Amino acid sequence: MNINSVVNIISDQYSFLSDECKLELSNNAKILELEKNSTLVREGQFSDKTYFIIQGCARAYYLKDGKDVSDWFAFENDFISSINSFFLNVPSPHFIELLEDSVLLEISRSNIEKLEHLHPDFERLTKVVVVKTMLSQQERIVSMQFHSAEQKYENILASHPNINKRVPLTHIASFIGITLETLSRIRKKLNYI
Amino acid sequence: MNINSVVNIISDQYSFLSDECKLELSNNAKILELEKNSTLVREGQFSDKTYFIIQGCARAYYLKDGKDVSDWFAFENDFISSINSFFLNVPSPHFIELLEDSVLLEISRSNIEKLEHLHPDFERLTKVVVVKTMLSQQERIVSMQFHSAEQKYENILASHPNINKRVPLTHIASFIGITLETLSRIRKKLNYI
DNA sequence: CGAAAATTTGATCGAAGTCAATCATTGTGG
DNA sequence: CCACAATGATTGACTTCGATCAAATTTTCG
C-alpha cells in the first residue's frame, strides 16, 4: 500500500482532490505502521494530529473514575482524532489506541491548515470529514435516545458489520452505554431467535 | 436589528468575513419574523435551508410512535437546520418549530454553495459552524454516556442557562432522555423552580 | 501448559419508566 | 375580562430494565 493509492481513496470517499492537491497531500502526510495496543493519544496530551486508518482499527476511550468507556471506533478508511484537542487546542480528554496491528496515515493540523490556505479543495475536504463525523454522531444520539440496550447493539452491528469479531465486547458494551453482562445476555437471547 | 449587524455577529462569533463577503452574505440571506409555534421544517420534507436565530428560540424534534422527542435547541446566535436533509439531501427525519416569536436569518444551501465557490471565507465559515455543532454533539454524547438523569439536567442548565424558563419541561426531559415525571422529581429534589 | 483476559451465568437491587390522578398555568372565545 | 378548556407540571403506586456483585467458564497467548 503506497501513499498515492491512499490519497486516491481519500479523494474518492471524502472530497475530490485535483492531481496537484493529491501530490500536496502525499507530501504533507506520513504513513505509520504500528502494533496492536499502541497508544496514539494520551489523556491530557495536546494532540494536533489526525489519523486515517489504511489497515486495522482504533478506538478513542475515556478513563473516568477507573472506568474505561469507549467513545469512538475507526476502521479502514475512517479518520480518527481527539476532536476536542484537535479543533479546540485543549488537552485531550481521552485516549486513542490501536485494537489491531495497523497502518495509518498521519496528518498534522499545521499541515492541514497550510494546505487549506493554499487550495479550497482542502477546506472542502476537512468540511466533508467533519460533516460525516457530525452525521454519525447524530445517528448515535438518536440510537441512545430512542432505543433499548438490545436495539442499540443491533444498531452498532448494522453500522459496523463484524465489529463483534474485531473489537472486545467490553468496548462495544461501554460504547453503547450498557454493561458487559447485559451485552452478554442480549447476545445469548439474539442467538436463539 | 438590520441585516448588517447580524452579519457582523456571524463574522465575530463564527469565522471572519471580509467586508466584501459580509455584503455578499447580506445579499444572499433574508430576515424572517415568525410567530411562536411556526413550523420551519416538517418531517418528510426536503429542507435546504439553514436558520440563524437573531431573536427567539427553536427546537428540532422527532415524532416517533406518537412520542415527541426533542433533539436540538437553538437560541440567539445559534444556527439550526435539519442537518440530515441539509447535508445529505434526504427527507428530514424531524420537525423544526419556534418556541417563541422569533427573528431569523434564512440562508439556502444553493446560496451557501454559490458563496463557497466564490470565497474561501465561506467554505471556512460553514466548516466552523459544523465543527461547533460536532463538538456540542460530543459533549451531549458524553453527558448521555456518563451521567445520571440528575447530572444530565444540571449539564443542560450549565450549557443553556435559563433554558428552564424559556422551554417547556417536557421538551427538556425528552432532550436529555428522561420522562417528564422523572424530571419533575429531580427538580423537586434540587429545589429548582 | 498455565496464567491472564474475556465472556457467560446467576442472584439481587435500584434508578427511572409507566400508568393514573391531581394541581397549576396559559390562552381564547363569549 | 372572565370562564373554562387546553396545556403543562406535580405527585403517587407500582413495575421493569439494566446495574451490581459474585462466581464460573471459555478463550487467548506467552
Side-chain angles (χ1 to χ4, degrees), chain B residues 24-43:
Chain B
E24 288 273 25
L25 181 54
S26 303
N27 291 336
N28 283 280
K30 67 177 181 200
I31 289 187
L32 301 180
E33 301 197 26
L34 294 169
E35 289 188 340
K36 179 171 174 171
N37 294 328
S38 302
T39 295
L40 299 178
V41 178
R42 286 175 200 289
E43 186 187 338

Side-chain angles (χ1 to χ4, degrees), chain A residues 16-38:
Chain A
F16 175 79
L17 297 173
S18 66
D19 288 346
E20 188 196 343
C21 286
K22 286 180 187 173
L23 184 63
E24 287 274 25
L25 181 54
S26 303
N27 291 337
N28 283 279
K30 67 177 181 197
I31 288 186
L32 301 180
E33 301 197 26
L34 294 170
E35 290 189 339
K36 180 172 172 168
N37 294 327
S38 302

Side-chain angles (χ1 to χ4, degrees), chain B residues 37-43 45 47 49-51 53 57-62 72 74 80-83 92-99 104:
Chain B
N37 294 328
S38 302
T39 295
L40 299 178
V41 178
R42 286 175 200 289
E43 186 187 338
Q45 179 189 327
S47 172
K49 306 278 191 289
T50 191
Y51 301 92
I53 314 273
C57 66
R59 70 170 182 129
Y61 65 101
Y62 291 87
W72 201 258
I80 190 167
S81 69
S82 176
I83 56 173
S92 173
H94 52 224
F95 296 80
I96 300 180
E97 68 169 18
L98 297 182
L99 297 171
L104 310 169

Side-chain angles (χ1 to χ4, degrees), chain A residues 146-159:
Chain A
F146 284 107
H147 299 144
S148 66
E150 187 176 323
Q151 286 172 308
K152 286 188 280 184
Y153 180 59
E154 288 175 325
N155 289 152
I156 197 178
L157 284 183
S159 63

Side-chain angles (χ1 to χ4, degrees), chain A residues 57-185:
Chain A
C57 66
R59 70 170 181 128
Y61 64 102
Y62 291 86
L63 272 189
K64 211 151 188 174
D65 314 322
K67 275 189 307 184
D68 170 322
V69 180
S70 292
D71 180 56
W72 200 257
F73 298 112
F75 299 91
E76 284 79 10
N77 302 341
D78 290 338
F79 282 91
I80 189 167
S81 69
S82 175
I83 56 173
N84 282 278
S85 192
F86 191 87
F87 289 105
L88 297 177
N89 201 26
V90 297
S92 173
H94 53 224
F95 295 79
I96 300 180
E97 69 169 16
L98 297 182
L99 297 170
E100 297 174 355
D101 295 347
S102 303
V103 186
L104 310 169
L105 190 72
E106 180 190 88
I107 318 169
S108 69
R109 181 174 57 223
S110 60
N111 281 357
I112 290 179
E113 285 172 356
K114 184 181 72 186
L115 295 176
E116 282 176 344
H117 285 93
L118 290 174
H119 302 280
D121 276 16
F122 288 107
E123 198 84 63
R124 194 163 307 121
L125 173 63
T126 57
K127 196 187 77 184
V128 169
V129 172
V130 175
V131 166
K132 287 196 183 212
T133 305
M134 180 186 71
L135 294 171
S136 306
Q137 285 177 318
Q138 180 60 26
E139 264 188 59
R140 184 162 168 220
I141 288 170
V142 168
S143 178
M144 292 171 102
Q145 237 181 356
F146 284 107
H147 299 144
S148 66
E150 187 176 323
Q151 286 172 308
K152 286 188 280 184
Y153 180 59
E154 288 175 325
N155 289 152
I156 197 178
L157 284 183
S159 63
H160 302 275
N162 288 327
I163 193 175
N164 55 341
K165 298 189 179 80
R166 297 178 71 178
V167 175
L169 296 182
T170 333
H171 300 153
I172 296 176
S174 72
F175 178 80
I176 62 179
I178 66 176
T179 60
L180 176 60
E181 295 92 325
T182 298
L183 180 54
S184 181
R185 292 184 180 106

Side-chain angles (χ1 to χ4, degrees), chain B residues 141-171:
Chain B
I141 288 169
V142 168
S143 178
M144 292 171 102
Q145 237 181 355
F146 284 107
H147 298 145
S148 65
E150 187 176 321
Q151 287 172 309
K152 286 188 281 183
Y153 181 58
E154 288 174 325
N155 290 153
I156 197 178
L157 283 183
S159 63
H160 301 276
N162 287 328
I163 193 176
N164 55 341
K165 303 204 173 70
R166 296 178 71 178
V167 176
L169 296 182
T170 331
H171 300 152

